[in-house]
Amino acid sequence: MTSISLLQPRFKQLKTLRALAIGLAIGFAAPAFADNLPEVQRLIKQGQYPQALDKVDAYLSSRPKDAQGRFLKGLIYTEMNKPAEAIGVFTKLSEDYPELPEPYNNLAVLYAQQKQYDKARTALEMAIRTHPSYAIAYENLGDVYAKLASQAYDKALQLDNANSATQNKLALIRDLITTSGKGNVKPPPAPVAAAAPVAPAAPSTLPATVAAKPIAPSATIVAATPGAASTSAASTPASKSAAVTAAPVSAAAPAPAPTQAKASAGDDDVVKAISAWADAWSRKDMKAYLGAYARDFDTPKGASRKAWEQEREQRIAGKGGKISVSFDTPTISINGDKATAKFRQHYKATGLSSSTTKTLVFVRNGGKWLIKEENAR
Amino acid sequence: MKPGRKFALAGLAVALVAGAAVQLNGKPASAPVTVNELSAIAQPRPAAELPAGDSSLPLVVSDSGPEEALTRIFAEIENNRLGNALQLTENLLRQHPNYRLAHLIRGDLLLARAQPIQTFGALSNAPADKVADLRAEAVARLTAYREKPPADFVPRYLLQMQPDQRFAIVVDTRRSRLYLYENDIKNGGQPRFVADYYVTQGKLGAEKLVEGDKKTPVGVYHVTANLPRQKLADLYGSGAFPLNYPNEWDKRQGRNGSGIWLHGTPSDTFSRPPRASDGCVVLTNQDLDVVAKNLQVGLTPVIISNSVEWLSLDDWAKERSELNKAIDAWRADWESRDSERYLAHYSTRFKSGDQGYTEFSAQKRQVNASKEWIKLKIDNLSVLRNPGKEEVVVVTFDQDYRSNNLNNQMKKRQYWLREDGQWKIIYEGSA
């Protein structure tokens, strides 16, 4: 069984987002834009960020105040993985146009990526203040609250930070919808439930409620979908969450493919780490072999690291004759920065050959998978 | 789907409070006043109650802990004002950034905004033991805040303090509470409630028996030293006060172990769960600092009980005078040199060191016979009742013994046991 966690490097995620976003944005937004902004969008879509940046700068040189242009510029910086610059653009934009919710929302996404959840919360609360029915901001705010909750639980329960490593699923707004007069802004009576006193539900409804909570896709992009939000969702406050989740679900439909691709890439890295480890063992390259283990490797029977290293040295480098270590296709499951690999290990040395089922638990440290636990059976 | 979330959280507060009540009701009724009666006696305290101002004694300072804030937070949750509850929780965290219970409540309140939650400590896969610890702390603190000791009742143990003992400490392990009492000399040495504090006890509860059993001893102790922070590992926090466990009575009962201290919390922790130490009684650092000012090394009694018994002042005065009479009768009978009358105060189970009743009585008869006169003066008497089923009282005093051929001054400690309605000495020795 192979299971892959949702954790991916941010740039991968953003690529997924962009691919989804542009199609939608081009589809409905074109009329709202000044002449050469569609060109900027096209360049973004093609991943030609420096060119897109040049174009948008040229556009802005004659219209330095233009909100659409500046918004796209912030987006380009975000795509180029320049969060500081992007934050700068969106911050200025929110100061000049405090009535627009989108810059606040995107600021929040950027802050959340930097794990600055308190700032993200403030920005989203601003977005909601400007547009009390701004669905995406609510959805994002829900995620930020969950993040803050997770941090609070870490402190309360002295957890390691495994939780905070999970990825952001906050939705970046790809388009300035509210200026175009459309947008996924719903009529007022859709306040978030937490703000409205609600009659207690019968307890029996609770489990169903939980089950109904959709599990957000890994790359939740909410590209503005004015049709869906403004018409269908508007009527009943109760349908608020359904409406909100409807947008990401439909938008993200193509997402699984890149996720899978990325997943096997993560797999590959672990397989490579196993190969390198087995090779080093076979070569009796003690430096590489011991280097495959994490600094905090759980030594057998809690022996000291030094004692364990000495023992391995004796058994490997100190052994006469050849050693050969190979393995069958491993079963790998990755969860955040932790990966568990299970495989059949074949060991051959003078006078001994054995096959055992081995489980290696890896931790990712600076892009490198290192062995944290080793168990044979 | 959202209404459920609110309901669930409100249920949390109710469950916490109800859980506390059930726990109290489930307690076995113990002598003079049961805990149930206590909670009936204790008036619900208004949040901003001020200490009585008509006294020159120190003000009541017991509300300095987070109990009041927690009470308000849970009241807001019950009333479905989750925003207020979150704000109050964040205020509390500004005051005590390392307060894990407050972090947990904050986590719940934030998570409730993102998804419906159904329980205290709603994080999925939350380590159940840690959540249970924090829940137990919340229950202990909220219960203690609602049920202060009644004003005209005193702990049965503090029958008489010697004049220079300014304060006494009484710990209730079931309630995770430490009560600080002042020796109110102006009022005839009545114990006067000063403050109470949340405490942590041994992981496996109270009634320590042997080394390493991770239990807190029950008995009458005193602090024997004051170890300043600089000399301590971080675990002990802002200070430590070793207790004289095992005392004479413990040793006689075959109890052993050592290193039972009163101490603070590590620097990264505001408050520890109700049961977490290896037997020590642990206070928050801020509480320890306040209590420490009132501790006199070698003097301040620290009485640890499973469940404090409370006496009305009338009953307290009666019990005290009964024991004073018994002690004075013993003194007078010793002076009388009538060995039979004198030895009638001793239990046949008497033991002191290697000496049993037989050896002791033979020796006393011999000594008394050689006396022409005996004068015995008792000063600085303290009478502290030992918690527990057996009726045992720890009596300590300065003894000034004069006779025709020997004078002797000593500090003496006796354990008196009520046998068939009579108070009898079962141990004595120098203190």
Side-chain angles (χ1 to χ4, degrees), chain B residues 98-116:
Chain B
N98 294 323
Y99 194 11
R100 286 176 198 160
L101 173 58
H103 280 295
L104 188 75
I105 297 169
R106 179 165 183 263
D108 281 348
L109 289 169
L110 286 165
L111 195 62
R113 295 183 164 196
Q115 68 186 62

Side-chain angles (χ1 to χ4, degrees), chain A residues 35-352:
Chain A
D35 287 344
N36 51 355
L37 285 183
E39 172 66 6
V40 175
Q41 293 234 331
R42 193 185 56 78
L43 288 167
I44 294 175
K45 185 186 175 189
Q46 294 168 354
Q48 302 185 33
Y49 306 122
Q51 293 87 334
L53 192 59
D54 287 347
K55 273 263 186 261
V56 86
D57 278 339
Y59 173 81
L60 285 171
S61 64
S62 56
R63 278 159 288 200
K65 286 270 168 215
D66 183 85
Q68 291 283 7
R70 289 163 68 187
F71 187 82
L72 282 181
K73 187 171 173 178
L75 216 52
I76 294 165
Y77 278 137
T78 309
E79 299 287 18
M80 294 171 81
N81 207 9
K82 293 186 169 176
E85 285 85 348
I87 286 173
V89 171
F90 287 127
T91 303
K92 280 290 286 172
L93 197 55
S94 69
E95 285 164 8
D96 295 347
Y97 298 91
E99 72 281 7
L100 296 181
E102 292 92 342
Y104 289 121
N105 181 81
N106 286 2
L107 266 179
V109 174
L110 287 157
Y111 283 136
Q113 285 175 350
Q114 301 180 341
K115 297 197 165 65
Q116 301 192 55
Y117 298 115
D118 279 311
K119 283 187 175 173
R121 172 183 168 184
T122 309
L124 287 169
E125 284 169 351
M126 285 303 293
I128 287 162
R129 196 177 304 171
T130 62
H131 276 266
S133 53
Y134 199 60
I136 295 170
Y138 280 113
E139 186 73 358
N140 281 340
L141 189 55
D143 292 342
V144 167
Y145 284 142
K147 283 290 171 193
L148 284 165
S150 164
Q151 288 184 332
Y153 287 131
D154 287 349
K155 285 182 188 154
L157 304 168
Q158 303 288 287
L159 306 174
D160 54 25
N161 288 324
N163 286 334
S164 48
T166 55
Q167 76 170 51
N168 283 304
K169 60 185 182 72
L170 298 190
L172 195 63
I173 306 278
R174 322 295 303 188
D175 193 5
L176 260 186
I177 295 304
T178 45
T179 54
S180 67
K182 311 184 204 172
N184 53 351
V185 174
K186 293 176 292 168
V192 77
V198 189
S204 62
T205 67
L206 288 179
T209 305
V210 173
K213 173 81 183 169
I215 293 158
S218 63
T220 307
I221 174 176
V222 182
T225 52
S230 59
T231 56
S232 70
S235 48
T236 56
S239 70
K240 177 247 158 192
S241 58
V244 172
T245 49
V249 168
S250 59
T259 307
Q260 286 306 326
K262 169 58 200 159
S264 49
D267 250 343
D268 283 344
D269 289 347
V270 176
V271 175
K272 274 183 207 149
I274 302 172
S275 304
W277 163 79
D279 287 347
W281 191 351
S282 304
R283 290 198 315 272
K284 300 189 185 178
D285 178 346
M286 287 315 291
K287 190 158 179 265
Y289 174 80
L290 294 174
Y293 289 84
R295 197 178 279 274
D296 57 348
F297 169 67
D298 295 344
T299 54
K301 301 190 190 102
S304 76
R305 174 79 181 204
K306 206 171 159 207
W308 171 77
E309 286 190 355
Q310 278 170 355
E311 197 233 15
R312 296 311 294 160
E313 183 109 36
Q314 255 170 25
R315 294 258 187 106
I316 299 172
K319 205 176 189 78
K322 279 183 72 161
I323 296 179
S324 147
V325 181
S326 62
F327 58 96
D328 295 345
T329 310
T331 306
I332 296 171
S333 72
I334 303 178
N335 185 356
D337 280 340
K338 196 174 154 189
T340 306
K342 209 170 156 188
F343 53 87
R344 197 90 188 133
Q345 169 188 299
H346 308 290
Y347 173 90
K348 271 194 202 131
T350 320
L352 176 71

Side-chain angles (χ1 to χ4, degrees), chain B residues 130-145:
Chain B
K130 286 180 176 170
V131 173
D133 277 349
L134 293 175
R135 184 192 177 91
E137 183 189 337
V139 169
R141 286 192 183 267
L142 292 176
T143 310
Y145 184 75

Side-chain angles (χ1 to χ4, degrees), chain B residues 337-358:
Chain B
R337 290 174 292 128
D338 180 334
S339 290
E340 294 320 304
R341 276 170 59 190
Y342 170 67
L343 288 168
H345 292 285
Y346 289 82
S347 163
T348 50
R349 289 153 60 200
F350 175 86
K351 242 172 105 180
S352 179
D354 309 336
Q355 216 175 29
Y357 179 77
T358 318

Side-chain angles (χ1 to χ4, degrees), chain B residues 25 28 78 81 147 172 251 254 303 319 352 372 392 423:
Chain B
N25 290 333
E78 265 181 285
R81 292 189 291 262
E147 296 164 9
D172 187 317
K251 285 178 193 152
I303 301 176
E319 214 162 290
S352 179
E372 286 157 23
V392 175
W423 286 106

Side-chain angles (χ1 to χ4, degrees), chain B residues 339 343 359-371:
Chain B
S339 290
L343 288 168
E359 297 86 8
F360 176 78
S361 55
Q363 189 211 347
K364 286 295 177 186
R365 280 197 180 90
Q366 195 190 351
V367 172
N368 281 347
S370 73
K371 300 289 180 190

